[in-house]
Amino acid sequence: MNYIEQAKQYTGSELENVFFRPILTGESARDLGVRVLYNMPQPTYVQLWDGNRNLLQKYTSTGWSGTKAATKTEKAIQLSRVKAEIGFAAADYFSMVYEKVAALVNANMDDLTGTQLEEAETSLFRQTLAENIRVTMWLGDTSAESGYNTFNGFMKAVTEGADGERFFNVSYSADELSDPAYAVELFDTLWENANARIHDSKAQGQLAYFVTSDIYRLYEKYLDAKGVDSAYIDALNGRQQLAYHGIPIIDVHLEEYLGTTSYPKSFCMLTDRRNLILAVNTADMPGNEVRMWYNPDEMENRQRAVFMAGCELLDPTMVTYAYKFA
Protein backbone atom coordinates (compact mmCIF):
# COMPACT_ATOMS: atom_id res chain seq x y z
CA MET A 1 0.00 0.00 0.00
CA ASN A 2 1.57 3.27 -1.16
CA TYR A 3 -1.45 5.58 -1.11
CA ILE A 4 -4.26 6.49 1.26
CA GLU A 5 -7.45 6.64 -0.77
CA GLN A 6 -10.24 6.47 1.78
CA ALA A 7 -12.22 9.74 1.83
CA LYS A 8 -13.24 11.28 5.15
CA GLN A 9 -15.75 14.03 5.89
CA TYR A 10 -16.65 15.69 9.18
CA THR A 11 -19.84 17.73 9.59
CA GLY A 12 -22.15 18.62 12.45
CA SER A 13 -21.22 17.15 15.81
CA GLU A 14 -18.32 15.16 14.32
CA LEU A 15 -16.79 18.38 12.99
CA GLU A 16 -17.00 19.85 16.48
CA ASN A 17 -16.02 16.89 18.66
CA VAL A 18 -13.44 15.13 16.49
CA PHE A 19 -11.72 18.03 14.80
CA PHE A 20 -12.14 21.53 16.27
CA ARG A 21 -12.88 21.09 19.96
CA PRO A 22 -9.45 19.53 20.73
CA ILE A 23 -7.65 22.64 19.40
CA LEU A 24 -9.98 25.28 20.86
CA THR A 25 -10.73 24.08 24.38
CA GLY A 26 -8.83 22.98 27.46
CA GLU A 27 -5.04 23.11 27.38
CA SER A 28 -4.98 24.04 23.70
CA ALA A 29 -7.08 27.13 24.34
CA ARG A 30 -4.94 28.13 27.33
CA ASP A 31 -1.81 27.80 25.20
CA LEU A 32 -3.15 30.54 22.94
CA GLY A 33 -3.06 32.89 25.91
CA VAL A 34 -6.33 34.63 24.95
CA ARG A 35 -10.05 34.17 25.52
CA VAL A 36 -11.56 31.61 23.13
CA LEU A 37 -15.27 31.45 22.30
CA TYR A 38 -16.17 28.28 20.43
CA ASN A 39 -19.54 27.74 18.77
CA MET A 40 -21.24 30.61 20.54
CA PRO A 41 -24.54 31.63 18.87
CA GLN A 42 -24.09 33.53 15.63
CA PRO A 43 -23.87 36.53 15.52
CA THR A 44 -21.51 36.38 18.50
CA TYR A 45 -21.86 39.03 21.18
CA VAL A 46 -19.86 39.57 24.34
CA GLN A 47 -21.90 40.97 27.21
CA LEU A 48 -20.24 43.50 29.51
CA TRP A 49 -21.96 44.24 32.80
CA ASP A 50 -21.04 47.13 35.05
CA GLY A 51 -22.59 46.79 38.49
CA ASN A 52 -23.59 49.99 40.25
CA ARG A 53 -21.02 51.58 42.48
CA ASN A 54 -21.79 52.62 46.05
CA LEU A 55 -24.31 49.80 46.09
CA LEU A 56 -24.51 49.27 49.85
CA GLN A 57 -27.33 51.16 51.57
CA LYS A 58 -28.40 51.60 55.16
CA TYR A 59 -30.84 48.89 56.09
CA THR A 60 -34.48 49.83 56.64
CA SER A 61 -37.29 47.48 57.52
CA THR A 62 -39.41 48.31 54.45
CA GLY A 63 -39.13 49.82 51.01
CA TRP A 64 -36.88 49.44 47.97
CA SER A 65 -33.63 51.37 47.99
CA GLY A 66 -32.15 49.99 44.80
CA THR A 67 -30.72 52.51 42.36
CA LYS A 68 -30.67 52.26 38.57
CA ALA A 69 -30.30 48.93 36.85
CA ALA A 70 -26.85 47.51 36.14
CA THR A 71 -25.34 48.85 32.93
CA LYS A 72 -24.96 46.39 30.07
CA THR A 73 -22.99 46.95 26.90
CA GLU A 74 -22.53 44.57 23.99
CA LYS A 75 -19.60 44.06 21.68
CA ALA A 76 -20.20 42.18 18.47
CA ILE A 77 -17.49 39.89 17.13
CA GLN A 78 -17.56 39.83 13.36
CA LEU A 79 -17.04 36.32 12.05
CA SER A 80 -15.80 35.68 8.52
CA ARG A 81 -16.31 32.48 6.61
CA VAL A 82 -12.90 31.02 5.81
CA LYS A 83 -11.54 28.08 3.88
CA ALA A 84 -8.30 26.18 4.42
CA GLU A 85 -6.99 23.84 1.72
CA ILE A 86 -3.77 21.89 1.47
CA GLY A 87 -2.53 19.20 -0.90
CA PHE A 88 0.25 16.63 -0.60
CA ALA A 89 1.87 14.35 -3.15
CA ALA A 90 0.36 10.96 -2.39
CA ALA A 91 3.67 9.28 -1.59
CA ASP A 92 4.73 12.08 0.77
CA TYR A 93 1.35 12.06 2.46
CA PHE A 94 1.53 8.31 2.98
CA SER A 95 4.98 8.67 4.60
CA MET A 96 3.83 11.41 6.99
CA VAL A 97 0.71 9.54 8.05
CA TYR A 98 2.63 6.24 8.35
CA GLU A 99 5.09 7.95 10.73
CA LYS A 100 2.25 9.20 12.93
CA VAL A 101 0.56 5.80 13.00
CA ALA A 102 3.86 4.12 13.88
CA ALA A 103 4.13 6.36 16.94
CA LEU A 104 0.80 5.09 18.29
CA VAL A 105 0.81 2.38 20.93
CA ASN A 106 -0.28 -1.05 19.65
CA ALA A 107 -0.46 0.18 16.06
CA ASN A 108 -1.11 -2.50 13.45
CA MET A 109 1.19 -1.47 10.62
CA ASP A 110 -0.17 -4.23 8.36
CA ASP A 111 -3.64 -2.70 8.35
CA LEU A 112 -3.59 1.07 7.80
CA THR A 113 -7.33 1.51 7.96
CA GLY A 114 -9.95 2.47 10.48
CA THR A 115 -9.51 4.53 13.64
CA GLN A 116 -5.72 4.69 13.77
CA LEU A 117 -5.43 5.96 10.22
CA GLU A 118 -8.20 8.48 10.78
CA GLU A 119 -6.57 9.74 13.97
CA ALA A 120 -3.22 10.21 12.22
CA GLU A 121 -4.69 12.07 9.24
CA THR A 122 -6.83 14.26 11.47
CA SER A 123 -3.88 15.11 13.70
CA LEU A 124 -1.79 16.12 10.68
CA PHE A 125 -4.38 18.55 9.36
CA ARG A 126 -5.46 19.80 12.77
CA GLN A 127 -1.92 20.84 13.66
CA THR A 128 -1.52 22.88 10.49
CA LEU A 129 -4.94 24.47 10.82
CA ALA A 130 -4.41 25.42 14.48
CA GLU A 131 -1.19 27.27 13.62
CA ASN A 132 -2.88 29.21 10.83
CA ILE A 133 -5.75 30.23 13.12
CA ARG A 134 -3.23 31.38 15.74
CA VAL A 135 -1.19 33.47 13.30
CA THR A 136 -4.26 35.06 11.70
CA MET A 137 -5.59 35.80 15.18
CA TRP A 138 -2.57 38.09 15.66
CA LEU A 139 -1.66 39.30 12.18
CA GLY A 140 -4.86 39.09 10.14
CA ASP A 141 -5.61 42.08 7.90
CA THR A 142 -8.57 41.90 5.50
CA SER A 143 -7.23 44.88 3.54
CA ALA A 144 -4.07 42.97 2.56
CA GLU A 145 -3.96 41.57 -0.96
CA SER A 146 -2.34 38.34 0.18
CA GLY A 147 -1.13 36.55 3.28
CA TYR A 148 -3.25 36.29 6.40
CA ASN A 149 -6.23 38.31 5.19
CA THR A 150 -9.30 36.23 6.03
CA PHE A 151 -10.20 38.20 9.18
CA ASN A 152 -8.69 41.09 11.12
CA GLY A 153 -6.33 40.15 13.93
CA PHE A 154 -5.37 41.76 17.22
CA MET A 155 -2.42 43.70 15.77
CA LYS A 156 -4.75 45.44 13.32
CA ALA A 157 -6.84 46.75 16.22
CA VAL A 158 -3.79 47.57 18.35
CA THR A 159 -1.97 49.55 15.65
CA GLU A 160 -5.14 51.44 14.75
CA GLY A 161 -5.73 52.18 18.43
CA ALA A 162 -2.15 53.40 18.83
CA ASP A 163 -2.48 55.66 15.77
CA GLY A 164 -5.70 57.05 17.22
CA GLU A 165 -4.04 57.53 20.63
CA ARG A 166 -6.75 55.49 22.30
CA PHE A 167 -4.22 54.14 24.81
CA PHE A 168 -0.64 54.73 25.91
CA ASN A 169 1.92 53.67 23.32
CA VAL A 170 5.62 54.33 22.89
CA SER A 171 8.29 53.37 20.38
CA TYR A 172 11.84 52.14 20.92
CA SER A 173 14.90 51.70 18.73
CA ALA A 174 17.06 48.72 17.83
CA ASP A 175 19.94 50.26 19.79
CA GLU A 176 17.92 50.16 23.01
CA LEU A 177 17.47 46.42 22.58
CA SER A 178 21.21 45.91 22.89
CA ASP A 179 20.92 46.21 26.68
CA PRO A 180 19.15 43.29 28.42
CA ALA A 181 18.06 45.62 31.21
CA TYR A 182 15.90 47.46 28.70
CA ALA A 183 13.37 44.61 28.84
CA VAL A 184 12.66 45.47 32.48
CA GLU A 185 12.50 49.17 31.63
CA LEU A 186 9.96 48.35 28.95
CA PHE A 187 7.78 46.33 31.31
CA ASP A 188 7.93 49.10 33.92
CA THR A 189 7.01 51.76 31.36
CA LEU A 190 3.92 49.89 30.26
CA TRP A 191 2.87 49.17 33.82
CA GLU A 192 3.39 52.72 35.08
CA ASN A 193 1.41 54.21 32.20
CA ALA A 194 -1.45 51.73 32.42
CA ASN A 195 -4.77 52.97 33.70
CA ALA A 196 -6.13 52.17 37.15
CA ARG A 197 -8.39 49.40 35.82
CA ILE A 198 -5.36 47.46 34.59
CA HIS A 199 -3.62 47.93 37.95
CA ASP A 200 -6.71 46.81 39.86
CA SER A 201 -7.19 43.70 37.69
CA LYS A 202 -3.72 42.33 38.51
CA ALA A 203 -5.11 40.49 41.53
CA GLN A 204 -7.43 38.51 39.23
CA GLY A 205 -4.43 36.81 37.63
CA GLN A 206 -5.39 37.56 34.02
CA LEU A 207 -2.85 40.24 33.10
CA ALA A 208 -0.05 39.31 30.69
CA TYR A 209 2.73 40.90 28.71
CA PHE A 210 2.45 39.70 25.10
CA VAL A 211 5.87 40.09 23.50
CA THR A 212 7.79 39.18 20.36
CA SER A 213 10.60 36.66 20.67
CA ASP A 214 13.37 39.28 20.75
CA ILE A 215 11.91 40.87 23.89
CA TYR A 216 11.43 37.44 25.45
CA ARG A 217 15.06 36.51 24.81
CA LEU A 218 16.25 39.91 26.04
CA TYR A 219 14.51 39.36 29.36
CA GLU A 220 16.03 35.87 29.59
CA LYS A 221 19.49 37.40 29.17
CA TYR A 222 18.69 39.87 31.91
CA LEU A 223 17.73 37.04 34.25
CA ASP A 224 20.78 34.98 33.26
CA ALA A 225 23.04 37.85 34.34
CA LYS A 226 21.74 37.70 37.91
CA GLY A 227 24.47 36.35 40.18
CA VAL A 228 22.30 33.92 42.14
CA ASP A 229 22.06 30.14 42.20
CA SER A 230 18.56 30.12 40.75
CA ALA A 231 19.74 32.05 37.68
CA TYR A 232 22.49 29.45 37.12
CA ILE A 233 20.00 26.59 37.44
CA ASP A 234 17.57 28.30 35.07
CA ALA A 235 20.37 28.89 32.55
CA LEU A 236 21.06 25.14 32.58
CA ASN A 237 17.50 23.84 32.61
CA GLY A 238 15.61 26.66 30.91
CA ARG A 239 12.47 28.35 32.17
CA GLN A 240 8.98 27.04 31.57
CA GLN A 241 7.30 30.41 32.09
CA LEU A 242 8.76 33.88 32.48
CA ALA A 243 7.04 36.52 34.58
CA TYR A 244 7.73 40.03 35.80
CA HIS A 245 6.33 41.03 39.20
CA GLY A 246 3.89 38.16 38.96
CA ILE A 247 2.63 39.02 35.46
CA PRO A 248 3.34 36.26 32.88
CA ILE A 249 5.47 37.06 29.83
CA ILE A 250 3.97 35.35 26.76
CA ASP A 251 6.04 34.91 23.61
CA VAL A 252 3.63 35.28 20.68
CA HIS A 253 6.00 33.31 18.38
CA LEU A 254 5.47 35.48 15.30
CA GLU A 255 9.08 36.06 14.30
CA GLU A 256 8.88 34.10 11.05
CA TYR A 257 5.60 35.74 10.03
CA LEU A 258 6.04 39.43 10.87
CA GLY A 259 8.54 40.01 8.09
CA THR A 260 5.84 39.76 5.41
CA THR A 261 3.48 42.22 7.13
CA SER A 262 3.39 45.98 7.70
CA TYR A 263 3.20 45.55 11.47
CA PRO A 264 6.15 46.40 13.75
CA LYS A 265 8.62 43.53 13.83
CA SER A 266 9.10 43.89 17.60
CA PHE A 267 6.48 44.81 20.20
CA CYS A 268 5.38 44.42 23.79
CA MET A 269 1.79 44.76 24.96
CA LEU A 270 0.28 44.70 28.44
CA THR A 271 -3.38 43.78 28.68
CA ASP A 272 -5.89 41.45 30.29
CA ARG A 273 -6.03 38.04 28.57
CA ARG A 274 -9.83 38.29 28.54
CA ASN A 275 -9.54 41.48 26.50
CA LEU A 276 -8.32 39.48 23.49
CA ILE A 277 -11.11 37.30 22.10
CA LEU A 278 -10.92 34.66 19.38
CA ALA A 279 -14.26 33.27 18.19
CA VAL A 280 -14.64 30.18 16.00
CA ASN A 281 -17.95 28.76 14.80
CA THR A 282 -18.45 25.46 13.01
CA ALA A 283 -22.16 24.99 13.71
CA ASP A 284 -24.24 27.90 12.45
CA MET A 285 -23.48 28.04 8.73
CA PRO A 286 -24.51 25.40 6.15
CA GLY A 287 -21.53 23.88 4.39
CA ASN A 288 -19.09 24.04 7.29
CA GLU A 289 -17.02 20.87 7.07
CA VAL A 290 -13.63 19.19 7.13
CA ARG A 291 -12.97 16.88 4.19
CA MET A 292 -9.97 14.70 3.31
CA TRP A 293 -9.78 12.81 0.02
CA TYR A 294 -7.51 11.36 -2.65
CA ASN A 295 -7.41 12.86 -6.14
CA PRO A 296 -6.28 10.07 -8.52
CA ASP A 297 -5.83 12.41 -11.52
CA GLU A 298 -3.18 14.44 -9.70
CA MET A 299 -2.06 11.57 -7.43
CA GLU A 300 -2.55 13.97 -4.55
CA ASN A 301 -4.11 13.79 -1.09
CA ARG A 302 -6.15 16.87 -0.32
CA GLN A 303 -7.58 18.37 2.85
CA ARG A 304 -10.15 21.14 3.20
CA ALA A 305 -11.78 22.91 6.14
CA VAL A 306 -14.64 25.43 5.93
CA PHE A 307 -15.68 27.30 9.07
CA MET A 308 -16.15 30.79 10.54
CA ALA A 309 -13.67 32.75 12.62
CA GLY A 310 -12.99 36.25 13.90
CA CYS A 311 -11.36 38.06 16.78
CA GLU A 312 -11.80 41.29 18.70
CA LEU A 313 -9.91 43.61 20.99
CA LEU A 314 -12.69 44.10 23.51
CA ASP A 315 -11.62 47.31 25.29
CA PRO A 316 -8.76 49.36 23.81
CA THR A 317 -8.40 51.37 27.01
CA MET A 318 -7.21 48.18 28.74
CA VAL A 319 -4.00 48.15 26.69
CA THR A 320 -0.54 49.68 26.91
CA TYR A 321 1.76 49.10 23.99
CA ALA A 322 5.37 49.56 22.91
CA TYR A 323 6.88 48.82 19.49
CA LYS A 324 10.13 49.16 17.59
CA PHE A 325 10.15 51.80 14.89
CA ALA A 326 11.85 50.97 11.59
Side-chain angles (χ1 to χ4, degrees), residues 122-183:
T122 301
S123 175
L124 180 66
F125 191 26
R126 196 163 50 204
Q127 180 180 353
T128 304
L129 187 60
E131 176 65 1
N132 277 266
I133 292 174
R134 185 190 72 83
V135 176
T136 308
M137 172 186 79
W138 280 104
L139 303 181
D141 183 358
T142 56
S143 65
E145 294 183 1
S146 60
Y148 298 93
N149 60 1
T150 50
F151 58 90
N152 287 327
F154 299 132
M155 289 305 298
K156 174 89 168 182
V158 169
T159 52
E160 289 179 348
D163 291 342
E165 298 183 350
R166 301 187 66 184
F167 48 79
F168 173 82
N169 65 95
V170 65
S171 62
Y172 52 86
S173 67
D175 291 340
E176 289 173 300
L177 296 181
S178 61
D179 180 10
Y182 185 71

Side-chain angles (χ1 to χ4, degrees), residues 65 72 187 228 235 249 288:
S65 59
K72 183 187 81 168
F187 299 152
V228 294
I249 314 294
N288 286 351

Side-chain angles (χ1 to χ4, degrees), residues 38-56:
Y38 179 54
N39 271 357
M40 296 292 287
Q42 171 67 18
T44 300
Y45 291 94
V46 177
Q47 312 291 339
L48 304 174
W49 293 88
D50 185 12
N52 297 324
R53 302 192 178 187
N54 193 21
L55 186 62
L56 299 180

Side-chain angles (χ1 to χ4, degrees), residues 31-163:
D31 288 343
L32 292 172
V34 303
R35 183 177 175 187
V36 178
L37 303 180
Y38 179 54
N39 271 357
M40 296 292 287
Q42 171 67 18
T44 300
Y45 291 94
V46 177
Q47 312 291 339
L48 304 174
W49 293 88
D50 185 12
N52 297 324
R53 302 192 178 187
N54 193 21
L55 186 62
L56 299 180
Q57 305 289 326
K58 291 183 177 180
Y59 176 79
T60 57
S61 58
T62 60
W64 168 257
S65 59
T67 57
K68 65 179 182 179
T71 303
K72 183 187 81 168
T73 56
E74 287 184 339
K75 187 96 179 233
I77 302 177
Q78 301 300 325
L79 299 186
S80 302
R81 199 170 192 195
V82 300
K83 178 175 70 169
E85 294 178 329
I86 187 171
F88 301 91
D92 295 337
Y93 186 76
F94 177 82
S95 297
M96 289 187 293
V97 173
Y98 189 93
E99 180 182 355
K100 285 188 173 292
V101 173
L104 298 175
V105 177
N106 299 323
N108 182 3
M109 304 310 297
D110 295 325
D111 182 20
L112 284 184
T113 59
T115 304
Q116 292 178 339
L117 176 64
E118 183 174 351
E119 182 180 342
E121 284 192 85
T122 301
S123 175
L124 180 66
F125 191 26
R126 196 163 50 204
Q127 180 180 353
T128 304
L129 187 60
E131 176 65 1
N132 277 266
I133 292 174
R134 185 190 72 83
V135 176
T136 308
M137 172 186 79
W138 280 104
L139 303 181
D141 183 358
T142 56
S143 65
E145 294 183 1
S146 60
Y148 298 93
N149 60 1
T150 50
F151 58 90
N152 287 327
F154 299 132
M155 289 305 298
K156 174 89 168 182
V158 169
T159 52
E160 289 179 348
D163 291 342

Side-chain angles (χ1 to χ4, degrees), residues 4-10 93 114 117-119 121-122 289-294 302 304:
I4 297 173
E5 302 182 20
Q6 182 181 1
K8 300 168 186 66
Q9 182 183 20
Y10 302 99
Y93 186 76
L117 176 64
E118 183 174 351
E119 182 180 342
E121 284 192 85
T122 301
E289 66 169 1
V290 166
R291 184 188 296 266
M292 294 178 281
W293 74 100
Y294 174 68
R302 295 177 175 178
R304 174 189 292 141

Side-chain angles (χ1 to χ4, degrees), residues 2-23:
N2 294 319
Y3 304 122
I4 297 173
E5 302 182 20
Q6 182 181 1
K8 300 168 186 66
Q9 182 183 20
Y10 302 99
T11 59
S13 61
E14 280 191 342
L15 177 63
E16 174 180 345
N17 296 325
V18 175
F19 200 87
F20 275 93
R21 187 165 291 279
I23 64 176

Side-chain angles (χ1 to χ4, degrees), residues 228-247:
V228 294
D229 291 342
S230 58
Y232 174 74
I233 294 172
D234 286 343
L236 288 176
N237 302 326
R239 302 175 177 88
Q240 295 300 314
Q241 176 67 67
L242 297 186
Y244 181 65
H245 289 176
I247 301 176

